[in-house]
Amino acid sequence: MLARYREGREFDGTQTVLGPLGHYDAVTSAAPVATPTDISVLSALADPTQCAGSFAAVTARPPGTDEQATPAPLSPLHLECVVDDEAMLLTVNAHGAGEYAPWLRDVLLLALAALASDAPDEQPDLLGADELALLAALGQGPAIEEAATRQTLQALLDDGISRTDPRRPAILDGETTLTFGELDASAEETARLLLSRGMGPGDRVGVLAGRTWRTVVAFAGILRAGLVYVPVDPEQPAERIRALITRVNAATVLGSEQDLSRSMLPENVRCEVPRLSAGSGFARSHRAKPADPAYVIFTSGSTGAPRPVLVSQGAVAALHSALAATVYAEAVAPLTVAVNSPAAFDASIKQLIQLASGHTLCLMSERTRQDPPRCRPIIVSSGWTFSTAHRHSYGCSSTPAPRSRCCRACC
């Protein structure tokens, strides 16, 4: 909210009134402000603490006048203009803005310079040198270790799953619990099935990604076989599912029997149901390289038809390394990580790849995911130790997490 100071002497008869009549109004303005008529008064300012910026234009008072010529600044960023018969004095006050004061000052000075230029209609550059330098540094992000860029998601998952105690729970979905040993065997069985169907490097495998253990087994098995994971929300209309699967030319789709039966997939698409297996090892036919594709995520389609976005093995491996060094840096033992993102949304990958670190995945039901107050008793009963969340989800809601649990917003 902005505030504008009014001297209170714009009406007839107020010029001879003794004492100050000025006050601040809350205002809004058209952009850019060309004339005073572009400024609209909303109300008398009731709460100065909500004011982000203020400005005051006053007429210089003759010496000896009781009324103060310039009002006190009302906000951390304040522009003051004092006018007399011969000159206009502009003062920028940003002392109360803390570390951001130089940035605010630079923006205001650049805007004033643009207004006074010979080409006032041109879009001015309103970022100062210090702010531009910081934005450039933030845009590059922290340096990623060279070793992380040479890894693949396939190798990380295989090594992490096989290295973890096979008795430790790998997946909890509210109805079924899979240990890491069972996940390892089931992923192998899924990979063997896909390879036996003649699929090869780079082939897309669609997954009707419900919030069950089958989705996680499909994810691990597809990547183990060197294929490309393509999650699709099974709750979408059948026509949309059919269009998405056709768009990526997926010859095989994995999912539950119920989801597969109602999805109206093209006749040439093979449907398979991931199953639990005691399994045995197999010789992988393709060892992925960092530049090979790992998964495809569709955009929302809010600006048209959904578009497939291909993400490489190396990029996801680097993501895992970055999360381990930041979000999960304090983990001293395997965690129980809530999978609260929709499986067809890119953020779910951040959670699924925690299998590579030996963490247990707890898949939240759709009802629970959309109802933060329900999370608290489920956290206690399921033994969550970690949850990453979106800004609108559990990690940033008004519902407090139980003590000793960790909830973070990481996207």
Side-chain angles (χ1 to χ4, degrees), residues 151-168 170 179-181 183-185 188 224 320 324 334 353-359:
Q151 292 180 314
T152 65
L153 178 59
Q154 182 191 62
L156 285 175
L157 282 175
D158 284 355
D159 293 345
I161 292 172
S162 62
R163 189 175 58 248
T164 303
D165 183 346
R167 299 165 297 178
R168 174 176 169 78
T179 65
F180 271 89
L183 171 61
D184 194 16
E188 288 185 1
R224 181 168 292 191
H320 178 269
I353 62 178
Q354 297 312 313
L355 290 169
S357 297
H359 299 320

Side-chain angles (χ1 to χ4, degrees), residues 175-194:
E175 296 182 359
T176 304
T177 298
L178 264 67
T179 65
F180 271 89
E182 291 170 327
L183 171 61
D184 194 16
S186 300
E188 288 185 1
E189 179 66 25
T190 300
R192 186 188 300 113
L193 173 65
L194 294 171

Side-chain angles (χ1 to χ4, degrees), residues 340 372 375 384 387-401 406-410:
N340 54 354
C375 289
W384 292 3
S387 173
T388 57
H390 308 300
R391 297 295 175 188
H392 61 275
S393 189
Y394 177 83
C396 291
S397 74
S398 59
T399 304
C406 180
C407 291
R408 296 185 180 176
C410 69

Side-chain angles (χ1 to χ4, degrees), residues 19-200:
L21 299 178
H23 64 279
Y24 279 99
D25 288 328
V27 299
T28 184
S29 65
V33 176
T35 68
T37 58
D38 292 327
I39 300 174
S40 302
V41 176
L42 298 178
S43 64
L45 191 63
D47 186 1
T49 62
Q50 299 299 313
C51 183
S54 58
F55 56 99
V58 298
T59 303
R61 300 290 176 225
T65 303
D66 292 336
E67 184 174 354
Q68 182 180 352
T70 58
L74 192 67
S75 68
L77 180 65
H78 181 76
L79 174 63
E80 175 186 282
C81 176
V82 179
V83 182
D84 62 20
D85 294 336
E86 298 180 354
M88 178 176 66
L89 175 64
L90 290 175
T91 304
V92 178
N93 184 329
H95 297 304
E99 62 180 308
Y100 301 111
W103 297 0
L104 296 172
R105 177 202 60 212
D106 291 347
V107 168
L108 190 50
L109 292 176
L110 287 168
L112 292 172
L115 290 174
S117 71
D118 295 333
D121 293 335
E122 293 184 4
Q123 183 66 31
D125 184 356
L126 298 182
L127 292 178
D130 292 343
E131 189 173 2
L132 280 172
L134 179 61
L135 290 174
L138 291 174
Q140 293 178 352
I144 299 175
E145 294 184 7
E146 185 177 353
T149 64
R150 297 196 300 267
Q151 292 180 314
T152 65
L153 178 59
Q154 182 191 62
L156 285 175
L157 282 175
D158 284 355
D159 293 345
I161 292 172
S162 62
R163 189 175 58 248
T164 303
D165 183 346
R167 299 165 297 178
R168 174 176 169 78
I171 308 168
L172 310 171
D173 71 0
E175 296 182 359
T176 304
T177 298
L178 264 67
T179 65
F180 271 89
E182 291 170 327
L183 171 61
D184 194 16
S186 300
E188 288 185 1
E189 179 66 25
T190 300
R192 186 188 300 113
L193 173 65
L194 294 171
L195 293 173
S196 71
R197 299 289 193 258
M199 304 194 73

